[in-house]
Amino acid sequence: MTKAATDGTGNELKGIAGWLYLVALGVVVSPIRVFIDYYPMLNDYFSGAYDSLTTNPNAKSYIPHFETLIKAELIGNALILILAVGLAVLFFSKHRWFPRTYIFLAAFTPIFLVTDLWMAATLIPGAEVLNSDMVGEIVRSLLAACIWIPYMLVSKRVNNTFRRQNK
């Protein structure tokens, strides 16, 4: 049996405390934020707002391959939303899969954003796809990944709270 890490005063580094409070805030806010960003696109897709852009090559506003891009964005955002909700469940149940899932989502998000940007630029030549909002999202997700992935990997509190068998 290994000795648990302590904070120097004899208190075991375990449970939701310290930097995990910031992680908790992100885990709670993230599904809400993703849903708020995702819902208008989902609503537009199912209400037929994209129909002239996706189905009628004779329409003035038709964009070839736009439907492929929209479907890829819908699937990617749905995956991020499902993972964000699942992440909250894993976090508050202190499940051992939380750190791995967090790392996957933190790595997947910037990869998805850059891939989406590349797909939009490739499928819709001449379109201005790189704007300040997109740059901000990519930078934010990369910074979050650079900060929180190493934290999940090396933190003694994360290890004690999520990976160690609780007795």
Side-chain angles (χ1 to χ4, degrees):
M1 185 167 165
T2 60
K3 186 177 176 186
T6 62
D7 63 5
T9 63
N11 295 326
E12 186 178 9
L13 291 172
K14 183 178 176 185
I16 311 303
W19 289 104
L20 278 180
Y21 283 132
L22 289 177
V23 174
L25 179 64
V27 163
V28 169
V29 170
S30 183
I32 297 165
R33 186 173 178 269
V34 171
F35 181 77
I36 288 170
D37 290 345
Y38 180 56
Y39 181 76
M41 177 198 243
L42 189 65
N43 189 43
D44 286 348
Y45 183 78
F46 286 110
S47 71
Y50 298 128
D51 283 351
S52 66
L53 298 172
T54 60
T55 59
N56 186 357
N58 298 322
K60 190 184 263 188
S61 60
Y62 177 72
I63 301 170
H65 310 294
F66 189 70
E67 186 170 19
T68 303
L69 178 63
I70 293 298
K71 286 181 178 178
E73 287 181 352
L74 288 170
I75 291 167
N77 282 307
L79 178 61
I80 289 172
L81 180 60
I82 290 165
L83 284 171
V85 170
L87 196 63
V89 171
L90 293 173
F91 181 81
F92 290 108
S93 65
K94 297 180 183 172
H95 196 279
R96 66 184 178 93
W97 277 76
F98 171 77
R100 291 179 204 151
T101 307
Y102 189 97
I103 290 168
F104 176 80
L105 185 57
F108 176 78
T109 301
I111 292 168
F112 171 70
L113 291 171
V114 170
T115 303
D116 180 45
L117 181 69
W118 173 79
M119 282 179 59
T122 303
L123 295 175
I124 311 169
E128 273 191 46
V129 294
L130 188 61
N131 57 39
S132 61
D133 290 341
M134 184 59 127
V135 170
E137 280 295 309
I138 292 170
V139 168
R140 183 195 63 76
S141 66
L142 282 171
L143 283 174
C146 287
I147 293 168
W148 295 112
I149 289 175
Y151 175 74
M152 290 293 151
L153 293 171
V154 301
S155 168
K156 292 175 181 170
R157 182 175 300 280
V158 168
N159 188 47
N160 289 341
T161 303
F162 299 103
R163 294 190 184 129
R164 207 177 87 205
Q165 294 297 326
N166 299 326
K167 295 182 180 180

